[in-house]
Amino acid sequence: MVTVSTTTRSAQELTAQARDVLGVSRLTNSALTSWLHGLPGVDQVGCEGRAAALGTRSIKTTSKAWAIDTAIGMIDLTTLEGADTVGKVRSLCAKALVPDALDPTTPRPAAICVYGDMVATAKAALGDSGIHVAAVATAFPSGRASMPVKLADTRDAVEAGADEIDMVIDRGAFLSGDYLTVFNQIAEVKQACGDTHLKVIMETGELVTYDNVRRASYLSMLAGGDFIKTSTGKVQPAATLPVTLIMLEAVRDWRELTGVQVGVKPAGGIKTTKDAIKYLVMVSEIAGDDWMTPQWFRFGASSLLNDLLLQRQKLATGAYSGADYVTID
Amino acid sequence: MPTFEYAPAPESRAIVTIEKSYGLFIDGAFTRPKATFATINPADETVLAEVSQAGPKDVDKAVAAARRAYEGVWGTMSGAERGKYLFRIARILQERAREFAVLETLDNGKPIKETRDVDVPTAAAHFFYHAGWADKLEYAGLSAGGAEAPRPHGVVGQVIPWNFPLLMLAWKIAPALATGNTVVLKPAETTPLSALLFAEVCQQADLPAGVVNIITGDGRTGQALVEHPDVDKVAFTGSTEVGKMIARSIAGTSKKATLELGGKAANIVFDDAPIDQAVEGIVSGIFFNQGQVCCAGSRLLVQENVHDQVIAKLKRRLGTLRVGDPMDKNSDLGAINSKAQLDRITALVEAGVAEGAERWSPECSLPAKGFWFPPTVLTGVSQTHRVATEEIFGPVLSVLTFRTPQEAVAKANNTAYGLSAGVWTEKGSRILWMADQLKAGVVWANTFNRFDPTSPFGGYKESGYGREGGRHGLEAYVTTAPATSSTQLTGATR
């Protein structure tokens, strides 16, 4: 059972708190710009080098087994297709409930991630299993809709019983330097979420530079996001190790600055056990083991689960089985 | 709270076969071992093998073999043919990379991830790079307009240190062979094994006998080699103290020399630096290879207004460094190479504390056997302290502050050395200005300790003279002076 705690915050409270963090009497776009552009820059070569170096850690035997189970428990098992049906979502929920029928000790993923209209279906299928239902909202994936539409989208999912909301930021506003709009939208969605957990998708593949990723991370945390998330999965590149490294540094430094802990969710393109372990190494060595639980770190993934299950079977039996020994859902 | 513990991930040492004892590699073959001394694994003090102490007669034989090879085959071989041998050696180094990495880690004490990811691949890269030059020397701009084509010196005596045994061997042998010289090389007393394995590679590559000779021994062997009358050129990497002795001993002879000596590099962090990457650069600058690097960033010069922030981040980062078994693939720091070096580090750090520096190390448990020193930061260091001026050659960072770019330059240059420096700032114009002002052979911008065969390396002042690597590195191994009868070998560089 995953526990996530969040506080109900009004947009007004969030703005007041942001003024405190920035030390300004009025939260203006220019105040936000000075603050975000005053963050230390990121050297691309150094950042990518550090991520690559962490990727060479050798995780074997008992630590591998531990990492595999930990990673399974951190998955937001995802289906976000136009072709999603009730049947497809139920099948995915069944997989979450029993990831490996051959081994009942297999942990369950943290959540099922679906579009808003599938929340009720997923809730019904998962029952009181403790597996969360996360819904993407705010005109996912592009975010190109008016604020009332985004808020209605959010409320709709919350009312249907979503435990977590994955919103997208307005990348157009961010890239044009209109940070206040991005802030206000996140704060208003947070307010609409009530006590539902809010993940903020920055779509780092569209922000492109690491400086932008760092700024968007700080802006999302300032505006009340409980989690910062890399990608929708609909834009390439999606999650990468260096981008996640910047985000892990951001949540680490944010806690030092404000005392508030924020989670991180890389999503899209993480397909193998090897990849997942590299991410966990980074969580441990950059943010610290305080982030090493589903409460603070998630993988947004669909095919990753099966690779983890295959590797888990391999560790248990000493032999690789094959793709037909895990279920396609 | 769950914690991610890394299970031991030891590299297997089964891949490499270490003989009980080794002779000298002279004229293409190993001699019978004699007058042997032990080389040990500094991580646990076990004996790895016995190696021979080469005496003056052995040096004579090695130099004579090199002379014969130079006059008989190597000096007259076309550049294209020499290049083929170098390419072959480079490929064999790659094929046997794991073997070399394991052996180097056992003999030196540095972590396997460094020998695997840096030492061995960079050594192979030096052979590949210089293989390419072998048939292009006439077009390398080594002769002033109208001067004679570049020719080799003849027999080169090379003495290398223990901090990068195979890599220093490659830095020395690759350019010497590419330019048509033959070589007698003496590896360091405490790390002879990778050089002896390299001798096997020479055999495997069918390198003509005598082109490369490897003689082991202590400082006396090195001295006999350097002073040998039939050596035409000396190349040395090591301490400034020994470098000065060599310079004195060859003074007044016709021998050419390149000396790559000590350093006390400043790693300069400005307040507009990419701080997280700068912290990484500080770490790799001084803790790479346990700080036993001549160009190590041993003096951190940090702008006073970001001092506390940088030091806090640095300390947190050092808390994640993994110190221990060098053969474990997850070890970031290994053992100090020798008892003597450990004593020197210990004494200098104690002197620093006595002079008023504040000492800090992260919590780490060090193995009971072997030579170990924890990563150490000395804060509150002043220019006048010994730890700010003397080369410690260990995992010890001295932290100083500055207020303006001018002060940073003045402090950085205020040293008897001048090998390397690092500059961390997001301002490109400042990087260029600093690079212009710093009296250091290498200036790294927003990075540190990067080595590439295409880039020349060498020092100012007491850090030595001559360059290694790049086009400039070739200059040390050729002459364009009017030929004398003994060196005139047609086609030598073609």
Side-chain angles (χ1 to χ4, degrees), chain B residues 41-218:
Chain B
N41 179 348
D44 60 12
E45 299 175 58
T46 54
V47 172
L48 292 168
E50 297 279 330
V51 297
S52 300
Q53 165 76 30
K57 282 187 182 163
D58 301 310
V59 175
D60 277 345
K61 282 185 200 158
V63 172
R67 175 63 60 194
R68 279 196 303 279
Y70 174 66
E71 290 178 351
V73 44
W74 198 252
T76 53
M77 190 183 279
S78 74
E81 284 301 311
R82 286 198 312 272
K84 284 187 196 170
Y85 284 103
L86 289 169
F87 276 122
R88 203 178 294 164
I89 290 170
R91 283 196 300 270
I92 296 171
L93 281 177
Q94 287 186 320
E95 284 161 14
R96 301 179 69 172
R98 248 182 87 202
E99 212 177 325
F100 272 101
V102 168
L103 186 64
E104 194 82 313
T105 286
L106 290 172
D107 205 17
N108 172 279
K110 65 172 74 188
I112 186 78
K113 85 169 187 190
E114 286 181 12
T115 55
R116 179 195 67 197
D117 296 346
V118 182
D119 295 61
V120 180
T122 315
H126 269 268
F127 279 97
F128 276 117
Y129 174 76
H130 285 99
W133 271 127
D135 61 355
K136 303 174 191 71
L137 295 170
E138 282 174 83
Y139 315 102
L142 299 168
S143 329
E148 298 201 22
R151 301 185 314 280
H153 292 297
V155 175
V156 185
Q158 304 179 321
V159 178
I160 57 170
W162 45 261
N163 58 342
F164 294 94
L166 180 70
L167 184 55
M168 290 300 108
L169 174 151
W171 279 31
K172 295 281 182 287
I173 291 183
L177 298 194
T179 46
N181 298 277
T182 57
V183 166
V184 180
L185 177 131
K186 188 195 91 68
E189 188 183 349
T190 58
T191 56
L193 295 184
S194 56
L196 293 166
L197 186 60
F198 180 80
E200 273 183 39
V201 169
C202 294
Q203 290 178 323
Q204 197 183 339
D206 281 329
L207 192 70
V211 172
V212 168
N213 304 273
I214 310 276
I215 54 172
T216 52
D218 59 16

Side-chain angles (χ1 to χ4, degrees), chain B residues 461-479:
Chain B
K461 303 190 281 188
E462 290 202 18
S463 291
Y465 43 77
R467 293 292 177 265
E468 295 184 287
R471 192 192 63 80
H472 304 79
L474 298 170
E475 288 171 6
Y477 285 95
V478 296
T479 176

Side-chain angles (χ1 to χ4, degrees), chain A residues 224-309:
Chain A
D226 298 306
F227 252 74
I228 49 177
K229 175 175 168 183
T230 59
S231 325
T232 59
K234 306 292 184 194
V235 167
Q236 290 301 325
T240 67
L241 285 165
V243 156
T244 310
L245 174 89
I246 298 300
M247 290 162 62
L248 287 165
E249 287 172 350
V251 295
R252 174 195 74 194
D253 293 346
W254 181 255
R255 186 173 69 169
E256 271 182 19
L257 183 71
T258 64
V260 176
Q261 188 167 353
V262 171
V264 174
K265 177 178 170 184
I270 305 165
K271 295 188 190 312
T272 65
T273 302
K274 210 170 176 175
D275 284 344
I277 291 177
K278 287 180 184 178
Y279 280 92
L280 291 185
V281 163
M282 220 156 62
V283 172
S284 172
E285 297 204 28
I286 301 292
D289 284 337
D290 287 358
W291 270 264
M292 198 55 105
T293 73
Q295 190 182 349
W296 301 113
F297 194 78
R298 296 281 180 85
F299 290 106
S302 41
S303 60
L304 173 64
L305 178 58
N306 272 349
D307 193 66
L308 286 163
L309 294 176

Side-chain angles (χ1 to χ4, degrees), chain A residues 57-58 63 214 253 256 285, chain B residues 6-7 276 313 316 330:
Chain A
R57 288 292 191 213
S58 182
S63 21
R214 175 169 283 178
D253 293 346
E256 271 182 19
E285 297 204 28
Chain B
Y6 300 165
D276 289 299
K313 283 193 173 234
R316 181 176 55 209
N330 290 325

Side-chain angles (χ1 to χ4, degrees), chain A residues 26 49 66 115 121 131 229 264 293 326:
Chain A
R26 208 157 59 84
W66 185 87
Y115 271 109
T121 305
I131 299 174
K229 175 175 168 183
V264 174
T293 73
V326 289

Side-chain angles (χ1 to χ4, degrees), chain A:
Chain A
M1 169 100 187
V2 179
T3 54
V4 289
S5 56
T6 184
T7 330
T8 306
R9 305 296 292 274
S10 71
Q12 213 174 359
E13 285 173 316
L14 287 164
T15 303
Q17 184 189 295
R19 286 200 304 264
D20 273 357
V21 173
L22 270 61
V24 295
S25 56
R26 208 157 59 84
L27 191 65
T28 60
N29 195 54
S30 120
L32 279 171
T33 304
S34 306
W35 183 66
L36 293 173
H37 290 228
L39 296 169
V42 181
D43 183 77
Q44 182 187 342
V45 174
C47 166
E48 290 172 358
R50 173 81 168 125
L54 284 171
T56 68
R57 288 292 191 213
S58 182
I59 305 301
K60 303 288 184 207
T61 60
T62 50
S63 21
K64 187 173 184 183
W66 185 87
I68 288 173
D69 279 9
T70 303
I72 293 174
M74 289 171 164
I75 290 180
D76 283 2
L77 196 58
T78 301
T79 183
L80 294 169
E81 301 297 333
D84 282 349
T85 57
V86 168
K88 163 77 184 174
V89 171
R90 279 189 190 141
S91 157
L92 201 67
C93 292
K95 172 83 167 186
L97 291 166
V98 186
D100 186 348
L102 301 174
D103 185 353
T105 67
T106 310
R108 288 167 167 172
I112 288 288
C113 184
V114 291
Y115 271 109
D117 62 336
M118 289 292 170
V119 170
T121 305
K123 276 308 271 188
L126 293 168
D128 59 359
S129 63
I131 299 174
H132 282 193
V133 175
V136 296
T138 70
F140 179 96
S142 72
R144 296 255 66 87
S146 70
M147 215 35 216
V149 171
K150 290 184 184 182
L151 290 174
D153 194 13
T154 306
R155 286 191 198 105
D156 188 49
V158 170
E159 280 159 21
D163 305 286
E164 306 175 4
I165 295 292
D166 289 25
M167 71 168 288
V168 292
I169 66 165
D170 184 339
R171 284 87 76 189
F174 183 91
L175 290 170
S176 65
D178 188 0
Y179 300 126
L180 188 60
T181 294
V182 180
F183 177 93
N184 286 335
Q185 291 194 0
I186 299 170
E188 284 178 46
V189 172
K190 173 69 182 166
Q191 178 175 312
C193 282
D195 58 2
T196 303
H197 208 62
L198 177 64
K199 306 197 196 91
V200 182
I201 302 170
M202 303 185 291
E203 197 67 297
T204 52
E206 290 183 347
L207 304 183
V208 180
T209 69
Y210 296 123
D211 287 334
N212 276 345
V213 172
R214 175 169 283 178
R215 289 169 186 163
S217 299
Y218 274 78
L219 187 57
S220 303
M221 294 187 290
L222 186 73
D226 298 306
F227 252 74
I228 49 177
K229 175 175 168 183
T230 59
S231 325
T232 59
K234 306 292 184 194
V235 167
Q236 290 301 325
T240 67
L241 285 165
V243 156
T244 310
L245 174 89
I246 298 300
M247 290 162 62
L248 287 165
E249 287 172 350
V251 295
R252 174 195 74 194
D253 293 346
W254 181 255
R255 186 173 69 169
E256 271 182 19
L257 183 71
T258 64
V260 176
Q261 188 167 353
V262 171
V264 174
K265 177 178 170 184
I270 305 165
K271 295 188 190 312
T272 65
T273 302
K274 210 170 176 175
D275 284 344
I277 291 177
K278 287 180 184 178
Y279 280 92
L280 291 185
V281 163
M282 220 156 62
V283 172
S284 172
E285 297 204 28
I286 301 292
D289 284 337
D290 287 358
W291 270 264
M292 198 55 105
T293 73
Q295 190 182 349
W296 301 113
F297 194 78
R298 296 281 180 85
F299 290 106
S302 41
S303 60
L304 173 64
L305 178 58
N306 272 349
D307 193 66
L308 286 163
L309 294 176
L310 280 173
Q311 291 294 331
R312 198 173 184 279
Q313 289 173 1
K314 198 263 172 181
L315 279 183
T317 65
Y320 278 107
S321 45
D324 288 339
Y325 292 82
V326 289
T327 55
I328 300 167
D329 300 272

Side-chain angles (χ1 to χ4, degrees), chain B residues 416-477:
Chain B
Y417 297 108
L419 193 52
S420 65
V423 180
W424 297 83
T425 171
E426 289 267 279
K427 204 185 268 291
S429 57
R430 182 176 293 149
I431 291 171
L432 297 176
W433 183 81
M434 292 290 291
D436 197 40
Q437 301 292 312
L438 289 166
K439 298 278 185 288
V442 181
V443 178
W444 283 294
N446 292 332
T447 189
F448 209 91
N449 269 348
R450 306 285 288 198
F451 306 98
D452 191 286
T454 63
S455 174
F457 184 92
Y460 275 72
K461 303 190 281 188
E462 290 202 18
S463 291
Y465 43 77
R467 293 292 177 265
E468 295 184 287
R471 192 192 63 80
H472 304 79
L474 298 170
E475 288 171 6
Y477 285 95

